[in-house]
Structure formats: C-alpha cells, structure tokens
C-alpha cells in the first residue's frame, strides 16, 4: 500500500483566468456599446421624425400633476426647452370650451383607465394661434391610474388646408357667398324637415341679372367680376337675416329666407334687391349698369324640387314681364301675387 496521494488536474493559471474574464467583459461591453449606438441612432431618427412631423411626447404624474415634455411640445407651446411646464399655465393656453372638453375626456379616461384623443386650438405663450392634436393613454398599477401620457402634434397646417378645402367646396371664391353645392345641401333639408312640419326656411328667391352679358362683352371679364362682387355684397346686405345667400353660377343668385318669412317679407326683400341692383356700379371711373329679375316661391306644402321649380317659373314670369321686376309663385294664390307684385 502506497503513501502517495492521487494526482489532480492542474488548476488554471490566475493570469489565464483573468484574461478569460476580461475577454468576456469586453465582449459584453461590445454588445452594450452596439446596443447603445443602435438606441442612439433610433433616438436620433425618432427626434428628427418627431420634429419633422411636429409631434412631441408628454406625460403627467397623477399624484402631483407634474409634467414631462419632449422638445417638440415645448416648441408647440413656445416655451424654452428644458423649463418646468406647469399644467395650470398650459391649460390657460386653451379656450374655455376646449378646456371643458379636455377635462371631461381626461377625467373619463382616468376613471375608465383608457385613453382619448382631441383636436384643440391654443394660443401659445408668445401669442401664436395653433391647432394641436392630443392623444392620451392612462397607465395604472393594481387598478389605480398613476400616470397619463401621450403625444401632442401641431396640426395647424393640416387644419388650414382642411378649412381651405371645405371653403372651396362650399363657397364661391369670387363673391364669398355660398356656392351651388351648399345651396343644394341646404335645400335638401327642406324635405327632411317636412315630415316633422318644422320648415327650415320660408321662401326661396331666385335672382338673375339683367344686361350682364353686355358688361362682359364691352368692358371685359375683369369688369364683369367686379360687377358680380358688388352685386353679391348688395344682396348680402339686403338679406343679412336670411338663412342662406348663394351664387348658383354665372349671374344667378339664390336667397333662402327664414322659416317665418311670409308673403310680405319675401315681396319687400325682392323689391329691395331689384332697386339696389338697378343702381350704377362704379368701376375704374366707368358706370356699369345691370338690373335684376327675381322669382319667389313660398315654402308651403311642397317638396324642395317643387319649390325650386316654382321659383324658377316665377323668375321666367319676371323676365317675360320686361325684367327689372319680381314675381311670386304660390299655388292657390297666383291672383294675389299678381295683384301685390309689380306685375302689370
């Protein structure tokens, strides 16, 4: 039996162990550096995209209502970047109606632990008027809302473009009056309301200019446009209380009087239009003259298409009577209309 102990494998040298650990640390550091670089690149892309789209991130701690904003939110509100935003001061930038709506939606989202979105107008700390789109999400812990966060986007240009497109769709660009499309939309409300017997308007007046073509032919289209602009302003002033004043196209106009308009009001309005449009129009020192014929239909027991047809028929009657006058068409009251209007 031998007294010698069994041999064991040689333990790794300390230097080798340190080198291995160092290599492992360096490899992990390389991964961390790579991830940090990727994160920095992603953050740079986000910041640039955020700035380009005018979108900023915000959050609010519900325990003390403290705010945290990214740079774009500061820019939207015209506050120095990095300053401390105060929620009460930010809310003062919103009009009262928007504050009420924002408070309502925010409270509901916190109660239900959901979110909301809202477009609102603001007046910034420098007095600039902007439109912003707010999105919000509520974060909760153990069923209790603790934080609300989201994005704020400057949509001023989008709002201006949308308003411009809506204006072009509904208004005549030369005169600023409602266009034919808006007139037809308004007229269609008549049929929807007829079932409930709540008339949206009481009379339709169709106005057609007399002797307008010679103005274009003799003085040019610029003079014709100036003439139409003056005519539109005169009709607008006469019919300030009307439901709608529209240019249907060319030298045709339409007026929808309010629901309580009756025979006398329609007659007086038409008479005023004929009188005012018969006055000369000064254009670059030249006196332009046009006139107007008006056809009237009272909104009584008829459809919108019948109302338009009756007004058109009355307009033709005014033209046939020598122009510069008006006629009223009302079923069952033609004789009264002839006697009361300026017809012979």
């Amino acid at each position: 039996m031998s007294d010698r102990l069994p041999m064991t494998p040689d333990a790794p040298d300390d230097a080798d162990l340190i080198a291995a650990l160092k290599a492992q640390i360096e490899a992990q550091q390389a991964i961390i550096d790579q991830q940090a670089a990727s994160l920095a690149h992603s953050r740079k892309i986000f910041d640039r995209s955020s700035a380009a789209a005018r979108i900023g991130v915000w959050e609010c701690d519900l325990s003390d209502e403290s705010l945290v904003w990214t740079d774009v939110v500061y820019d939207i509100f015209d506050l120095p970047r990095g300053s401390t935003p105060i929620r009460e001061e930010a809310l003062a930038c919103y009009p009262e109606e928007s504050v009420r709506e924002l408070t309502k939606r925010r409270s509901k989202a916190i109660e239900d632990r959901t979110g909301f979105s809202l477009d609102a107008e603001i007046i910034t700390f420098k007095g600039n008027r902007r439109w912003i789109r707010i999105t919000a999400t509520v974060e909760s812990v153990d069923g209790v809302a603790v934080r609300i966060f989201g994005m704020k986007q400057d949509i001023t240009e989008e709002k201006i473009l949308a308003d411009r497109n809506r204006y072009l769709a509904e208004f005549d660009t030369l005169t600023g009056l409602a266009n034919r499309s808006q007139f037809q939309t308004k007229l269609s409300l008549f049929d929807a309301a007829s079932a409930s017997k709540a008339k949206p308007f009481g009379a339709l007046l169709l106005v057609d200019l007399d002797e307008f073509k010679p103005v274009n032919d003799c003085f040019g289209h610029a003079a014709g446009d100036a003439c139409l602009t003056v005519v539109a302003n005169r009709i607008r002033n006469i019919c300030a209380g009307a439901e709608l004043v529209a240019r249907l196209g060319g030298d045709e106009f339409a007026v929808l009087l309010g629901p309580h308009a009756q025979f006398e009001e329609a007659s007086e309005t038409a008479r005023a239009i004929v009188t005012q449009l018969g006055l000369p129009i000064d254009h670059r020192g030249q006196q332009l003259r046009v006139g107007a014929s008006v056809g009237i239909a009272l909104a009584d027991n008829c459809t919108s298409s019948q109302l338009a047809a009756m007004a058109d028929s009355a307009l033709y009657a005014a033209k046939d009577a020598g122009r510069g006058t008006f006629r009223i068409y009302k079923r069952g009251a033609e004789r009264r209309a002839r006697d009361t209007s300026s017809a012979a």
Side-chain angles (χ1 to χ4, degrees):
M1 192 169 174
S2 174
D3 295 333
R4 301 178 63 184
L5 297 173
M7 299 294 294
T8 59
D10 294 337
D13 187 84
D14 289 345
D16 293 339
L17 178 60
I18 292 173
L21 292 174
K22 184 177 180 181
Q24 184 178 1
I25 292 173
E26 289 175 349
Q28 290 176 338
Q29 185 62 48
I31 294 173
I32 293 172
D33 291 343
Q34 183 180 9
Q35 291 175 338
S38 177
L39 180 61
H41 179 67
S42 298
R43 181 58 185 267
K44 183 183 294 185
I45 292 176
F46 172 81
D47 288 342
R48 290 178 177 177
S49 300
S50 174
R54 299 284 289 161
I55 299 175
V57 178
W58 63 274
E59 65 175 78
C60 178
D61 187 331
L62 295 179
S63 65
D64 58 5
E65 298 289 356
S66 60
L67 297 175
V68 176
W69 288 354
T70 60
D71 289 346
V72 173
V73 182
Y74 284 105
D75 296 344
I76 290 174
F77 282 83
D78 284 333
L79 277 177
R81 293 181 177 183
S83 60
T84 302
I86 307 300
R87 185 167 183 271
E88 290 75 12
E89 295 177 356
L91 285 176
C93 295
Y94 296 82
E96 291 184 8
E97 182 178 350
S98 293
V99 172
R100 287 195 297 269
E101 185 64 24
L102 177 59
T103 301
K104 174 184 173 183
R105 297 193 186 192
R106 184 179 189 268
S107 299
K108 181 65 174 174
I110 292 173
E111 179 184 354
D112 297 340
R113 297 182 295 284
T114 54
F116 69 91
S117 63
L118 176 68
D119 291 353
E121 188 179 22
I122 63 170
I123 304 296
T124 73
F125 286 91
K126 291 184 178 179
N128 295 313
R129 187 180 300 273
R130 293 193 176 115
W131 277 88
I132 63 173
R133 176 164 296 145
I134 306 167
T135 60
T137 300
V138 174
E139 179 184 355
S140 60
V141 176
D142 297 329
V144 177
V146 296
R147 187 170 71 107
I148 185 168
F149 64 95
M151 294 182 293
K152 283 183 169 69
Q153 180 181 14
D154 185 341
I155 59 167
T156 305
E157 292 183 2
E158 176 186 331
K159 179 68 174 176
I160 291 173
L161 181 60
D163 289 345
R164 177 62 177 168
N165 289 338
R166 183 164 53 251
Y167 180 87
L168 293 174
E170 297 180 353
F171 291 90
D172 175 57
T173 55
L174 175 63
T175 64
L177 297 179
N179 62 14
R180 180 181 288 273
S181 175
Q182 188 179 167
F183 168 75
Q184 293 292 353
T185 299
K186 188 75 171 180
L187 192 64
S188 67
L189 298 177
F190 184 76
D191 295 325
S194 61
S196 62
K197 298 182 180 180
K199 295 189 302 181
F201 43 83
L204 167 62
L205 282 66
L206 293 181
V207 182
D208 190 79
L209 298 186
D210 303 325
E211 303 303 326
F212 177 71
K213 187 175 184 298
V215 171
N216 267 334
D217 293 344
C218 296
F219 300 99
H221 289 287
D225 288 348
C227 183
L228 289 172
T229 301
V230 172
V231 165
N233 288 334
R234 290 180 181 179
I235 297 176
R236 182 189 288 112
N237 291 336
I238 294 166
C239 306
E243 289 295 310
L244 188 75
V245 179
R247 181 189 177 202
L248 302 183
D251 59 351
E252 298 178 274
F253 299 83
V255 179
L256 290 171
L257 297 181
H260 302 296
Q262 297 296 322
F263 185 88
E264 293 299 330
E265 181 180 346
S267 299
E268 290 302 318
T269 302
R271 184 175 289 108
I273 290 174
V274 170
T275 300
Q276 289 295 314
L277 298 194
L279 299 177
I281 297 172
D282 181 73
H283 176 66
R284 298 178 179 176
Q286 296 175 315
Q287 297 291 300
L288 308 180
R289 287 189 175 274
V290 295
S293 299
V294 182
I296 306 171
L298 300 182
D300 185 20
N301 297 322
C302 62
T303 64
S304 62
S305 59
Q306 290 171 336
L307 183 69
M310 290 191 298
D312 195 54
S313 177
L315 177 60
Y316 274 103
K319 293 283 190 183
D320 291 341
R323 305 188 179 191
T325 186
F326 67 92
R327 290 293 185 271
I328 301 178
Y329 185 105
K330 185 172 183 292
R331 290 179 298 182
E334 290 84 356
R335 182 176 299 278
R336 181 186 175 192
R338 288 196 296 269
D339 293 341
T340 306
S341 74
S342 59

